[in-house]
Amino acid sequence: MSDLLVNLNSEQLQAVSLPPQHALILAGAGSGKTRVLTTRIAWLIQTGQVEPSGVLAVTFTNKAAREMLARLSAMLPINTRGMWVGTFHGLANRLLRAHWRDANLPQLFQILDSADQLAAIKRLLKALNVDDEKFPPRELQHFINGQKEAGLRAHAVEAWDDYTRRRVELYQEYEAQCQREGVVDFAELLLRSYELLERHEPLRRHYQSRFRHILVDEFQDTNRLQYRWLRQFADEGREGAAAMFCVGDDDQSIYRFRGADVGNMRDFEREFRVANVIRLEQNYRSHGNILDAANAIIRNNANRLGKNLWTEQGEGEPIRVFEGYADVDEARWVVEEIGQLVRDGMSRSDIALLYRSNAQSRVLEHQLFSSGIPYRVYGGLRFFERQEVKHALAYLRLIANPDDDTSFARVVNFPTRGIGARSQEALTDAARTFNASLYSTVPHLSGKPGAVLAGFVRLIEDLRRDTAKLPLPELVDHVLDTSGLRAHYRNEKEGQDRLENLDELVSAAANFLAEIGPPEDPDADHALLADFLAHASLEAGDHQAEAGADAVQLMTVHSAKGLEFDVVFATGLEEGLFPHENSLLETDGLEEERRLMYVAVTRARERLYLSFAQSRMLHGQSRYNLKSRFLEEIPETLLKWLTPQRAATMPGNTYFRPSAASPAAAPPPRRRDDGGLRVGQLVGHARFGQGVIVATEGAGSDARVQVNFGAAGVKWLLLSVAKLEVA
DNA sequence: ATTTTCTATATTTTT
DNA sequence: TATAGAAAAT
């Protein structure tokens, strides 16, 4: 037996060494998913069952792809360059670059990231004089991407109402604009390559016979188009076709809002007649109590393929629960606790603070900062998304492809060179009538606009000529100087960081060059530049981070997926926040929130803290929330309350009912003083259940209180009418 | 062309 | 609260 297979448990071993048949691996959190995937590839190659070139391995993130390649080269003495390992979008890009003519694209086509796409849509609406109140650009973007992910071109979309008919027209116009400009968005990468193979049978046959093993990571996060894309390579699962090996966890599907469709797992099982469904249920990450809590939570979901994690490790510590009066108290407690952990010898980087939404990081950051504890926040602007970098990239893109109107519009007057709104409008109108790109329309323009714009075109032409033979980093450097970007930021008061980022872009170009080696086609001018630009679009770069330092990790639960920490604080466990109130309106929204909670809990190795606060500042005002229902789903026996637990159910029948008829009766009229009805007070209602008082108003028989009943909504109740129980 | 003032809006976000 | 984007003022 190969030494690759030692130290695998029996299910892992079974999965890794499966015959070339379709397989679905249901891999629970911390069950060794990545290990199984990479070992499977290594084993197939080492046993001579497949050549490296016969492997197609797909991941969602560049990080995951890089990690897979790194692990593979550690396991096998092979050159990984012939292997197709990458993200869906990266591989689609690779395909389209190789067959750009057949795909009806310019050789140096550019890739729009989400922000570029939005800008392109806004520009389109403006050019067509469409009211962007009626057709909000973001909504249109979502619509277009949704259609593409369903595999539908504009002509194939069924529209039953005028509104949708118009949106379809705009989808059509958007496509025409992209085609004219030689740009493709993320969804287009997939759809275009899918259609290419569908239309081009010899090409399809070629890839179908080349790839013998297709392996997919995070399969629960695939969208419909991605699934069909994969199915095409596997020849729809026909006899003799490639074997599909899909690894995923339906319980960790948390990207439905981005088009992910867990249904792909069931469809895969059915359509490919998958005989091998293997469950990896042994968890190597967390202690027993943590796993028990995770299992207890996820058990409440109805739509599951079914799985129960277990561990050989002991039950470990209880799960600690803290209730704060306000978000500030919660944050203060978190920071104190961290201080203690660090004093006990724990590394700060082994501690994670998780929250549902980014806005919640502020209070935590504030407390950490005042205590002088180093921390690192994930999320926010990434390198290639920064304004100055985007501007620089726009110049580079114009060199590679002058028809890219998005880039043209972005920098035609940045730095300002006297090309104001009037000139730009004249150009847009002319381009529209010529049905040509902005760049190519400039020579047709006369008068003052014509003159100033010609100056800009000359700048780009000069840049293209002067950089044609320059190595990539020097090319970038030259553009930064000649475009005037560097000078602009030098003169800006707060421009220092931006200048540094521009320098960083030159380094990024150098790194890129070093990584990919010599260009494949040295004759094509700027081919390397186009590759670099694709890289910039497909990999937005690391979130800003002071790497190296031993810092506490702050991130949303979403970005924590796939990570693990010795100690995890899951904060803000409140109704309305987690589960988020918006999710309750969506079908199956609550189940997705619960999966999110499951992800949060399973990040912890040794110690898990769960916390919530009675009041929290949100959008500038205090909100009063109930504790999250997910807390109630964890058996009490696993918990250790660090604060006294407030009654979960109302004791007895202590009705509180002020009555105008008998003002002197038992419940005193001055409720504020006696611990009766205060803001933040927990109350019970026969129909709406448990709630928390958010506001009070009026007095005597007019006295009203506003109560947040969580799922049942926020209600105003007249005290003289409503029966309220007081805890 | 640039600055200021206002107004709407506020989950999550691998590519 | 804070931020982005638009409208208005300079």
Side-chain angles (χ1 to χ4, degrees):
Chain A
M1 191 197 282
S2 156
D3 60 352
L4 282 174
L5 304 183
V6 301
N7 292 332
L8 295 176
N9 69 33
S10 64
E11 289 79 24
Q12 291 174 332
L13 175 67
Q14 192 196 353
V16 165
S17 58
L18 231 36
Q21 298 165 356
H22 305 310
L24 177 60
I25 314 300
L26 296 173
S31 65
K33 168 186 73 110
T34 312
R35 181 161 184 225
V36 164
L37 207 47
T38 45
T39 311
R40 165 80 173 164
I41 297 174
W43 182 75
L44 286 170
I45 293 173
Q46 196 186 57
T47 54
Q49 298 183 63
V50 69
E51 290 293 309
S53 62
V55 172
L56 176 66
V58 196
T59 63
F60 269 85
T61 66
N62 293 296
K63 200 174 146 205
R66 272 195 303 271
E67 187 180 336
M68 197 181 284
L69 280 172
R71 287 205 198 185
L72 276 172
S73 1
M75 284 189 233
L76 292 172
I78 55 153
N79 185 357
T80 50
R81 274 193 94 170
M83 293 174 71
W84 281 45
V85 177
T87 64
F88 278 102
H89 295 86
L91 295 170
N93 177 55
R94 190 165 173 176
L95 215 53
L96 293 176
R97 296 276 167 204
H99 308 287
W100 54 275
R101 255 188 263 268
D102 288 325
N104 190 26
L105 284 170
Q107 185 172 16
L108 301 186
F109 70 86
Q110 302 297 304
I111 299 166
L112 302 182
D113 67 20
S114 312
D116 298 329
Q117 184 188 30
L118 188 63
I121 289 173
K122 283 180 180 168
R123 205 155 37 72
L124 178 80
L125 295 182
K126 206 162 191 178
L128 296 178
N129 265 320
V130 176
D131 183 359
D132 59 5
E133 302 257 291
K134 263 193 191 147
F135 296 91
R138 284 187 172 285
E139 198 275 335
L140 195 58
Q141 179 181 30
H142 188 255
F143 174 79
I144 290 172
N145 290 339
Q147 299 306 328
K148 288 189 181 186
E149 280 163 18
L152 296 174
R153 291 297 179 186
H155 64 82
V157 181
E158 290 188 53
W160 302 101
D161 55 288
D162 286 345
Y163 180 60
T164 304
R165 256 188 289 284
R166 185 71 180 125
R167 286 194 298 179
V168 172
E169 280 172 27
L170 293 170
Y171 174 20
Q172 179 93 60
E173 292 281 356
Y174 168 75
E175 253 339 290
Q177 175 179 293
C178 288
Q179 186 63 32
R180 193 174 60 237
E181 297 177 11
V183 296
V184 297
D185 57 49
F186 286 149
E188 186 69 22
L189 283 171
L190 291 167
L191 184 54
R192 190 70 75 111
S193 52
Y194 173 80
E195 289 173 344
L196 169 68
L197 293 184
E198 185 176 54
R199 193 174 57 235
H200 201 314
E201 194 182 334
L203 209 57
R204 186 172 72 245
R205 294 273 171 245
H206 166 75
Y207 284 108
Q208 281 174 349
S209 59
R210 170 182 172 161
F211 297 127
R212 304 317 302 151
H213 286 271
I214 300 174
L215 304 100
V216 191
D217 192 15
E218 306 277 15
F219 189 61
Q220 78 282 352
D221 287 337
T222 51
N223 65 35
R224 289 308 292 170
L225 182 56
Q226 286 161 340
Y227 176 58
R228 287 169 63 180
W229 192 87
L230 290 168
R231 203 170 58 181
Q232 207 173 31
F233 283 108
D235 194 14
E236 320 285 316
R238 266 187 270 282
E239 203 62 25
M244 289 262 280
F245 187 91
C246 299
V247 182
D249 181 0
D250 55 317
D251 290 334
Q252 291 188 72
S253 156
I254 55 174
Y255 283 106
R256 205 178 48 129
F257 68 95
R258 290 183 104 251
D261 186 352
V262 215
N264 285 339
M265 297 182 88
R266 282 216 161 92
D267 287 354
F268 170 58
E269 202 181 332
R270 196 185 63 244
E271 293 174 7
F272 285 75
R273 298 170 208 280
V274 177
N276 309 290
V277 177
I278 298 174
R279 287 178 163 74
L280 304 182
E281 297 177 300
Q282 180 172 5
N283 174 294
Y284 296 93
R285 181 186 294 159
S286 311
H287 285 154
N289 284 337
I290 294 170
L291 276 194
D292 288 349
N295 285 331
I297 291 166
I298 203 66
R299 206 165 24 237
N300 292 287
N301 272 2
N303 294 314
R304 295 181 66 208
L305 296 176
K307 216 172 353 73
N308 219 34
L309 293 181
W310 60 277
T311 179
E312 280 179 353
Q313 302 185 55
E315 60 183 20
E317 304 175 10
I319 294 163
R320 293 165 167 81
V321 187
F322 177 88
E323 171 174 16
Y325 292 107
D327 47 0
V328 191
D329 304 303
E330 183 193 30
R332 227 177 262 135
W333 162 76
V334 166
V335 168
E336 269 171 35
E337 202 72 29
I338 289 174
Q340 190 57 51
L341 287 166
V342 172
R343 279 193 294 280
D344 291 347
M346 167 128 326
S347 290
R348 282 183 289 267
S349 57
D350 288 328
I351 303 173
L353 305 189
L354 308 185
Y355 35 80
R356 174 68 240 265
S357 61
N358 284 307
Q360 291 167 245
S361 74
R362 279 196 63 239
V363 224
L364 295 166
E365 285 186 67
H366 184 82
Q367 292 301 330
L368 287 165
F369 187 82
S370 21
S371 305
I373 298 178
Y375 64 91
R376 174 181 168 180
V377 188
Y378 286 74
L381 262 195
R382 301 199 291 180
F383 181 71
F384 287 111
E385 292 168 355
R386 307 183 107 86
Q387 188 208 92
E388 61 277 17
V389 176
K390 276 275 188 187
H391 280 135
L393 291 175
Y395 279 101
L396 296 172
R397 280 156 76 145
L398 281 177
I399 291 172
N401 170 17
D403 292 334
D404 180 348
D405 284 1
T406 300
S407 298
F408 186 100
R410 180 171 198 114
V411 292
V412 65
N413 197 35
F414 192 96
T416 49
R417 42 175 79 85
I419 305 177
R422 264 204 343 274
S423 303
Q424 290 184 49
E425 237 165 78
L427 179 62
T428 313
D429 291 348
R432 195 94 213 135
T433 46
F434 285 113
N435 190 29
S437 70
L438 297 174
Y439 192 91
S440 62
T441 305
V442 170
H444 300 291
L445 234 55
S446 56
K448 203 186 244 166
V452 284
L453 282 160
F456 177 68
V457 166
R458 216 171 304 121
L459 169 67
I460 301 299
E461 309 252 275
D462 287 351
L463 282 176
R464 180 178 310 111
R465 191 193 56 231
D466 296 343
T467 59
K469 299 295 171 226
L470 285 183
L472 189 56
E474 289 170 40
L475 185 162
V476 175
D477 194 65
H478 179 84
V479 168
L480 293 179
D481 280 329
T482 314
S483 63
L485 277 178
R486 275 218 175 96
H488 173 86
Y489 288 118
R490 252 197 299 275
N491 291 331
E492 208 170 57
K493 271 178 293 206
E494 315 271 320
Q496 198 49 45
D497 284 352
R498 298 192 189 274
L499 277 175
E500 281 170 23
N501 285 328
L502 291 179
D503 289 339
E504 190 59 38
L505 184 63
V506 179
S507 313
N511 290 340
F512 177 76
L513 195 58
E515 232 166 76
I516 67 153
E520 283 174 28
D521 180 7
D523 294 336
D525 279 353
H526 296 125
L528 203 59
L529 173 60
D531 287 345
F532 177 59
L533 291 171
H535 165 82
S537 298
L538 290 171
E539 174 153 26
D542 256 334
H543 288 293
Q544 86 279 15
E546 287 121 63
D550 179 23
V552 175
Q553 315 279 303
L554 275 72
M555 67 193 83
T556 63
V557 181
H558 279 93
S559 21
K561 198 180 85 166
L563 305 177
E564 57 182 76
F565 306 91
D566 286 342
V567 177
V568 167
F569 289 83
T571 66
L573 299 181
E574 294 143 38
E575 283 294 303
L577 222 85
F578 198 178
H580 197 278
E581 52 203 355
N582 295 358
S583 73
L584 302 177
L585 309 170
E586 295 156 25
T587 37
D588 292 335
L590 182 63
E591 295 219 339
E592 177 131 330
E593 293 289 306
R594 191 175 279 113
R595 292 192 289 268
L596 203 48
M597 181 69 186
Y598 177 78
V599 168
V601 167
T602 52
R603 295 313 94 194
R605 282 195 281 253
E606 291 165 16
R607 187 182 283 202
L608 175 65
Y609 291 95
L610 305 175
S611 66
F612 61 102
Q614 292 168 27
S615 81
R616 179 176 297 276
M617 285 297 270
L618 201 64
H619 311 324
Q621 47 196 354
S622 285
R623 279 183 40 145
Y624 298 86
N625 297 314
L626 295 168
K627 71 174 168 213
S628 172
R629 68 190 75 189
F630 299 146
L631 267 171
E632 320 268 4
E633 293 173 0
I634 304 173
E636 276 296 327
T637 52
L638 303 176
L639 303 178
K640 174 182 174 186
W641 283 78
L642 303 177
T643 42
Q645 208 181 150
R646 293 205 294 171
T649 48
M650 300 299 105
N653 280 329
T654 45
Y655 276 81
F656 180 81
R657 195 181 186 188
S659 142
S662 53
R670 300 214 172 279
R671 287 152 219 128
R672 293 169 185 284
D673 302 330
D674 68 356
L677 297 189
R678 286 171 292 113
V679 164
Q681 174 75 51
L682 219 62
V683 294
H685 185 276
R687 191 144 65 88
F688 302 134
Q690 193 179 29
V692 79
I693 296 182
V694 171
T696 58
E697 200 178 86
S701 61
D702 291 332
R704 303 193 305 150
V705 290
Q706 192 180 26
V707 184
N708 181 356
F709 289 104
V714 180
K715 317 271 185 201
W716 274 106
L717 301 173
L718 209 52
L719 284 183
S720 53
V721 177
K723 284 182 193 171
L724 285 182
E725 287 176 6
V726 180

